[in-house]
Amino acid sequence: MTPPRARTWGRIGQTPIVRVRSRGSGRVPMAGMACFKPGRRSRLIYAIREYRGRKDEPKDFGWRDFRDLVVRARIQLKGPIVLVWDNVRLHLTVGMKQFIAANAEWLTVFQLPAYAPDLNPTEGIWALVKRDLGNLAAADLGEITRAVKRRLKKIQYRPDLVDGCIEATGLSLDALSNREPVPDHTSQPA
């Protein structure tokens, strides 16, 4: 996860230089769900993984990881889930579609239009996390992971931040709860 550039302070006339020892390999992929229920406090459920570039180590999340995140959300929320998803390729895999179909009694999925990050409240969460990492000069990947976990934990305890992410999308929770799911047009027989 490459943080955005940020400003910092330094003595007048001296450019601050931060030396970091790192090979430049590794990443910290994240997956998350901003959960909203009218009359209840908003929740953030997430998963983090470290990728260090080792052989046989998964580089990113797979559809099974997304499935496990949805199942974990159902256990924590103790009820049915209406999932509003972007068009990430892993959300549209055969395995994920089969999982959704097999659990239709408690899982309803709405697909966002392609290229619409402004409608995805989780993108606001990632922006909040990255904003605070702009001045982080991490010595190793573990330090980045710890900083990301700390920031996500702080966001979890601030439901007003999660609420702000849904408000920033302009979407209405009432409108979503009164609609039928959008049919998936990508898997129609020819």
Side-chain angles (χ1 to χ4, degrees):
M1 185 171 102
T2 305
R5 289 185 181 187
R7 293 180 176 258
T8 188
W9 61 272
R11 294 180 185 224
I12 295 176
Q14 294 180 352
T15 303
I17 298 173
V18 179
R19 302 212 188 280
V20 178
R21 61 178 202 276
S22 176
R23 288 189 342 232
S25 66
R27 50 194 285 183
V28 182
M30 301 179 287
M33 300 171 71
C35 305
F36 307 95
K37 186 173 185 179
R40 293 297 219 15
R41 138 181 120 77
S42 299
R43 310 265 308 261
L44 173 64
I45 300 172
Y46 64 89
I48 295 177
R49 168 176 291 154
E50 275 187 2
Y51 171 70
R52 298 185 176 276
R54 295 183 181 126
K55 187 179 180 184
D56 298 331
E57 181 181 31
K59 189 174 187 176
D60 215 338
F61 287 94
W63 74 268
R64 288 179 183 90
D65 298 313
F66 285 111
R67 175 200 62 199
D68 295 346
L69 185 64
V70 172
V71 169
R72 198 170 85 214
R74 179 170 188 244
I75 291 168
Q76 288 182 22
L77 299 173
K78 299 178 177 131
I81 293 178
V82 176
L83 189 60
V84 181
W85 249 353
D86 55 11
N87 279 327
V88 171
R89 191 176 316 150
L90 288 172
H91 295 169
L92 306 171
T93 61
V94 173
M96 199 68 213
K97 288 179 185 179
Q98 290 172 348
F99 168 74
I100 292 167
N103 296 290
E105 70 274 359
W106 61 267
L107 181 61
T108 305
V109 177
F110 292 95
Q111 206 70 38
L112 287 174
Y115 308 112
D118 51 327
L119 296 177
N120 187 348
T122 310
E123 294 295 334
I125 300 291
W126 303 146
L128 289 171
V129 171
K130 286 183 175 186
R131 181 183 66 193
D132 290 347
L133 297 177
N135 280 328
L136 177 67
D140 61 3
L141 190 62
E143 191 174 339
I144 293 172
T145 303
R146 288 188 297 277
V148 167
K149 285 182 180 180
R150 272 194 311 271
R151 185 62 185 141
L152 285 169
K153 188 62 76 176
K154 285 182 182 180
I155 293 171
Q156 278 185 319
Y157 289 107
R158 296 270 317 270
D160 56 313
L161 291 176
V162 181
D163 288 340
C165 291
I166 188 71
E167 289 174 20
T169 66
L171 297 175
S172 166
L173 294 178
D174 296 326
L176 288 175
S177 62
N178 295 328
R179 287 185 49 206
E180 290 296 317
V182 177
D184 181 12
H185 298 291
T186 59
S187 62
Q188 289 182 351

